[in-house]
Amino acid sequence: MALDYAVIAAYVLGMIGMGWWGMRRATSKSEYLVAGRRLGFTMYSGTMSAVVLGGASTIGGVGLGYKFGISGAWMVFAIGLGILLLSALFARRIVKLKVYTVSQMLDLRYGGNSSMISGLVMAAYTLMLTVTSTIAYSTIFNVLFGLPKSVGVIIGGSIVVLYSVLGGMWSITLTDIVQFVVKTIGILFLLLPISLISAGGFDGIQERLNDPAMFEVGNIGTGTIITYLLIYVFGLLIGQDIWQRVFTAKSPKVATWGGITSGLYCLVYAVAGALIGLAGKALYPDIANKDEAFATIVENLLPTGVRGLVLAAALAAMMSTSSGALIACATVASNDIWRRKTDSDVHNNRMFTLVIGVVAIAIAVALNDVVAALTVAYNILVGGLLVAIIGGLVWKRGTRLGAMASMAIGSLTAIGFMVFVDVYANEAIYYSLGASFVTYIVVSLATPATDAAVLANWDRRVAGEGTDEETELVNA
């Protein structure tokens, strides 16, 4: 295992080194939070792919493939579809707005201040996303060193918090590019072919399993597929962690085509994870917990050195999502909830990132049911905010009162179903979206149209005539 340890150590030291380098570039609020809005096609598509494909997409995707076969690709496939839709339909407009948060977009579109409500929902979502990604570190450190969950969480979380605090989005972008390369080599070019060859290819897998359902696209269940599409496609359309990456693009063209490239990469990654899990089922049919399939496959199939690289790839997937969610949560907290303008924005944002990072590590140590936590976060995010955000982008008659009412009704409906029916109930997302949509339309039509001056300013910003200096005034 010595070579595996060396590979992991080199990777971790590289992440910290890039955080230190990024600190030299993060000299302003714009540089710290959105990398100066200067990312080109290659860096943008790489960092977008890294942030959306985390531990759930890698370890969870393989686990779903182990349990459901080819149909296990649906969760990550939905993530890819979400990035494709966001990039094709809305990325150009989002880049031109030159804001820092989703809530600032709502304030620009509807007038007034709605950021406290939307900010709290978005902060809860991004915090839980940080927590669930942080918990996943324990899997890698347990395989490598046999460390307990709490120690693995603290080690992995501290590394991410360190480089995120130092350089903000620049550090995260640089580390994401490395993580994207490591992840691509480790998962697509090493683990996928090795696992398939070891299982005897598709013919060998079919012979070993003797279960046609494992090769059916719908094996995971129609209801689950629909829920994945609703939660992940819509969640990625409006999540602060995703929008903040869109804000980093240097032009609308980069945001559109870089995002489409990233979405297509996610679709490939989805199929790869399901196939690795399927091969693992054929080779090791008695694994009790599907989420242990990834570690079992890596530990038993790969030679030393290669095993270290693939484990580094899994660690990269977790760290990229965790750091992206952490900087997103800190941005929402400092811009939408705290809303206090000072002369030292970079320092304040570093402090917010540090404090939230420590809180996320503490919650991750204490929390066990990560799937429930993430389900709650996504249900409230999509059920509460989707209609108001997308409605503001596509329907001029939508009003601030309509948006506020839809956010309140949608969130409360989602919470109600999760409390009184079941956290995992599909009805939570169905009914919350329906209630939010009806409320938005009815209240908007029943209240006076948005002030013409507000809409004129919105049209000017959508046309790309806004500046970062104007965005700073939103927070003053």
Side-chain angles (χ1 to χ4, degrees):
M1 293 287 286
L3 186 56
D4 294 333
Y5 295 158
V7 171
I8 296 291
Y11 168 77
V12 169
L13 290 174
M15 297 301 99
I16 296 173
M18 288 184 181
W20 185 263
W21 186 88
M23 182 174 66
R24 301 171 61 186
R25 302 199 65 165
T27 56
S28 68
K29 182 175 180 177
S30 176
E31 297 285 350
Y32 188 85
L33 295 181
V34 291
R37 309 187 194 273
R38 289 190 284 163
L39 298 192
F41 177 87
T42 301
M43 292 190 75
Y44 177 84
S45 58
T47 192
M48 180 64 84
S49 300
V51 74
V52 297
L53 296 175
S57 300
T58 304
I59 294 174
V62 171
L64 288 172
Y66 184 87
K67 185 174 182 179
F68 299 105
I70 296 296
S71 189
W74 273 109
M75 182 184 76
V76 183
F77 201 84
I79 291 172
L81 289 178
I83 294 298
L84 286 172
L85 284 176
L86 174 69
S87 303
L89 299 179
F90 303 115
R92 288 180 177 271
R93 249 178 291 184
I94 293 171
V95 171
K96 290 178 180 178
L97 288 174
K98 285 189 169 59
V99 293
Y100 292 114
T101 70
V102 175
S103 298
Q104 288 177 342
M105 166 261 161
L106 292 172
D107 288 350
L108 278 173
R109 167 60 183 83
Y110 295 112
N113 178 16
S114 61
S115 61
M116 182 59 72
I117 296 176
S118 56
L120 287 172
V121 172
M122 197 66 76
Y125 156 72
T126 50
L127 178 62
M128 295 317 301
L129 191 59
T130 307
V131 168
T132 53
S133 300
T134 302
I135 290 174
Y137 302 141
S138 61
T139 305
I140 303 302
F141 288 105
N142 180 264
V143 172
L144 283 172
F145 310 113
L147 295 175
K149 172 199 164 186
S150 58
V151 177
V153 165
I154 292 170
I155 292 173
S158 298
I159 294 167
V160 170
V161 171
L162 178 59
Y163 74 68
S164 299
V165 168
L166 287 174
M169 187 59 81
W170 269 119
S171 293
I172 293 170
T173 297
L174 294 169
T175 54
D176 276 356
I177 296 301
V178 176
Q179 289 160 354
F180 171 73
V181 172
V182 171
K183 191 159 47 179
T184 300
I185 295 172
I187 303 300
L188 299 186
F189 295 150
L190 290 175
L191 188 58
L192 175 61
I194 290 173
S195 59
L196 288 176
I197 292 170
S198 299
F202 286 105
D203 291 337
I205 293 172
Q206 286 179 316
E207 184 177 341
R208 288 169 183 260
L209 292 179
N210 194 27
D211 184 1
M214 296 295 282
F215 296 88
E216 295 177 2
V217 175
N219 185 37
I220 200 170
T222 302
T224 300
I225 293 171
I226 293 173
T227 300
Y228 281 158
L229 292 174
L230 286 175
I231 290 178
Y232 292 110
V233 172
F234 290 154
L236 286 162
L237 283 180
I238 61 174
Q240 170 67 27
D241 53 323
I242 308 304
W243 276 44
Q244 198 155 343
R245 297 309 171 104
V246 178
F247 298 152
T248 65
K250 72 176 183 180
S251 69
K253 183 177 180 180
V254 166
T256 300
W257 292 107
I260 288 174
T261 302
S262 173
L264 294 174
Y265 176 87
C266 292
L267 301 185
V268 173
Y269 202 88
V271 176
L275 290 177
I276 292 168
L278 181 64
K281 182 69 172 180
L283 292 166
Y284 314 106
D286 299 322
I287 300 174
N289 184 351
K290 65 180 175 58
D291 289 333
E292 295 176 1
F294 178 86
T296 302
I297 295 167
V298 171
E299 193 171 8
N300 288 283
L301 285 186
L302 302 181
T304 183
V306 175
R307 181 169 52 230
L309 181 59
V310 172
L311 289 173
L315 194 61
M318 299 166 197
M319 286 186 168
S320 57
T321 298
S322 181
S323 59
L326 174 59
I327 194 73
C329 189
T331 303
V332 170
S334 61
N335 285 270
D336 298 334
I337 299 174
W338 188 246
R339 294 179 68 88
R340 179 181 175 186
K341 188 172 177 60
T342 70
D343 295 329
S344 183
D345 282 323
V346 174
H347 174 73
N348 281 346
N349 280 284
R350 281 198 174 100
M351 290 301 100
F352 271 102
T353 306
L354 175 61
V355 171
I356 291 171
V358 172
V359 170
I361 291 172
I363 296 174
V365 169
L367 195 63
N368 288 318
D369 196 343
V370 297
V371 176
L374 196 58
T375 300
V376 170
Y378 265 106
N379 281 343
I380 296 175
L381 172 74
V382 175
L385 299 186
L386 177 74
V387 172
I389 293 170
I390 301 302
L393 290 170
V394 301
W395 192 42
K396 287 291 183 72
R397 186 61 182 81
T399 66
R400 179 172 178 269
L401 288 177
M404 297 278 284
S406 75
M407 287 190 281
I409 295 298
S411 298
L412 291 174
T413 303
I415 292 170
F417 270 93
M418 288 187 288
V419 170
F420 296 109
V421 181
D422 184 10
V423 168
Y424 302 105
N426 293 334
E427 291 86 354
I429 195 65
Y430 301 157
Y431 284 97
S432 61
L433 276 174
S436 180
F437 178 76
V438 171
T439 301
Y440 181 72
I441 298 297
V442 171
V443 176
S444 290
L445 292 176
T447 53
T450 304
D451 186 85
V454 172
L455 288 178
N457 184 52
W458 167 257
D459 290 338
R460 184 178 65 83
R461 296 294 289 264
V462 169
E465 297 175 8
T467 65
D468 279 317
E469 288 71 24
E470 284 183 291
T471 301
E472 295 298 325
L473 294 176
V474 175
N475 300 322

